Amino acid sequence: MPTTFAQLVLFVTMLTPGLVYTLKRERNTPSRALSAFRETAEILLVSVIANIAALLLLSVCRVLLPGLTPDVGEMVQGSGDYVRSHYRLLALWAGGLLATSTLLAFLAADGRVLNAAARSLRRPHRTPPDAFASAWWSLFQEEHDGPVHVGCHLEDGSYVAGMLRSFNRDSNDTADRELTLTGPITYRAPGSTRAQLLDGVGAAAVSARRITLMTVGFLAGDEPLPEPELTNRTVPNPP
């Protein structure tokens, strides 16, 4: 463990790539509880790999641009004179390497980057499904990257639909969670066969406990969102 302030700053800085990776993954993967050991090990491993990759990049730059890169051997073997005389160059490269390793960790945490890279190489690639993904995550995140239209048949016989705004990312398919829809919001009262557009309603929250059937429609990136012409459309009752 670090014993001085400088060592503490260096320790925290070296763990920055792993921390960025973890925070990015939390936004792009199902939420699940992990032990402190598991989280710490993940941060350490990612940081080590990302920092090694950045150092390899420094080695390549050292071969190609020896006059513009720091001499690590001289810095390690010297008595400190090299660091004092080249502190600006060392600080510049240290910041650049940290930024590079952090960027690599950030990109590694986003499966969409791999998909885009595969498409640019014209090779089929699909991010494997998360083993801890809930049914909601599989429908809303893994199946489609564009806008998602969601229709919910509720236990009282009513129906509500709209564009997906957000949903609970818990990996467990529990009833104590909600999803939110944004306008246009379509609603059908219990016992009716006609769904009407709710004027003045821009969003709605739906409890998973009340849903008996959910329908999901995937829209293309350039496909327009549902228009008010959907008013009074017929929505059949679920079987």
Side-chain angles (χ1 to χ4, degrees), residues 88-215:
R88 291 188 180 89
L89 179 65
L90 293 174
L92 179 63
W93 274 94
L97 292 176
L98 176 60
T100 300
S101 61
T102 303
L103 177 61
L104 291 175
F106 179 86
L107 296 177
D110 193 342
R112 292 173 297 181
V113 174
L114 298 178
N115 292 337
R119 286 194 298 268
S120 65
L121 297 175
R122 297 183 179 180
R123 296 180 179 178
H125 179 274
R126 181 180 179 83
T127 303
D130 195 298
F132 299 94
S134 65
W136 282 10
W137 182 272
S138 299
L139 284 175
F140 302 147
Q141 293 292 122
E142 292 181 354
E143 296 297 332
H144 190 64
D145 293 332
V148 178
H149 185 268
V150 180
C152 301
H153 296 269
L154 307 183
E155 62 181 6
D156 63 353
S158 61
Y159 170 87
V160 62
M163 302 305 301
L164 178 67
R165 183 178 183 273
S166 65
F167 66 97
N168 188 300
R169 298 184 299 109
D170 193 338
S171 59
N172 297 319
D173 286 306
T174 63
D176 297 322
R177 54 183 179 156
E178 293 183 341
L179 60 84
T180 61
L181 307 175
T182 187
I185 300 298
T186 307
Y187 176 75
R188 187 200 65 203
S192 175
T193 59
R194 296 285 180 176
Q196 296 183 340
L197 189 68
L198 297 181
D199 294 330
V201 177
V206 184
S207 171
R209 188 178 297 276
R210 306 302 179 187
I211 300 174
T212 59
L213 174 67
M214 177 186 294
T215 59

Side-chain angles (χ1 to χ4, degrees), residues 36-67:
F37 173 79
R38 174 68 171 77
E39 292 181 346
T40 303
E42 181 178 83
I43 292 176
L44 289 174
L45 179 60
V46 173
S47 294
V48 169
I49 294 176
N51 289 326
I52 290 177
L55 291 176
L56 292 176
L57 178 61
L58 173 62
S59 301
V60 174
C61 294
R62 179 64 182 171
V63 174
L64 299 177
L65 304 170

Side-chain angles (χ1 to χ4, degrees), residues 14-48:
M14 296 300 291
L15 293 182
T16 298
L19 179 60
V20 170
Y21 175 88
T22 300
L23 295 177
K24 178 63 175 176
R25 288 279 294 176
E26 288 178 353
R27 294 178 60 88
N28 292 276
T29 57
S31 175
R32 61 182 185 272
L34 298 176
S35 65
F37 173 79
R38 174 68 171 77
E39 292 181 346
T40 303
E42 181 178 83
I43 292 176
L44 289 174
L45 179 60
V46 173
S47 294
V48 169

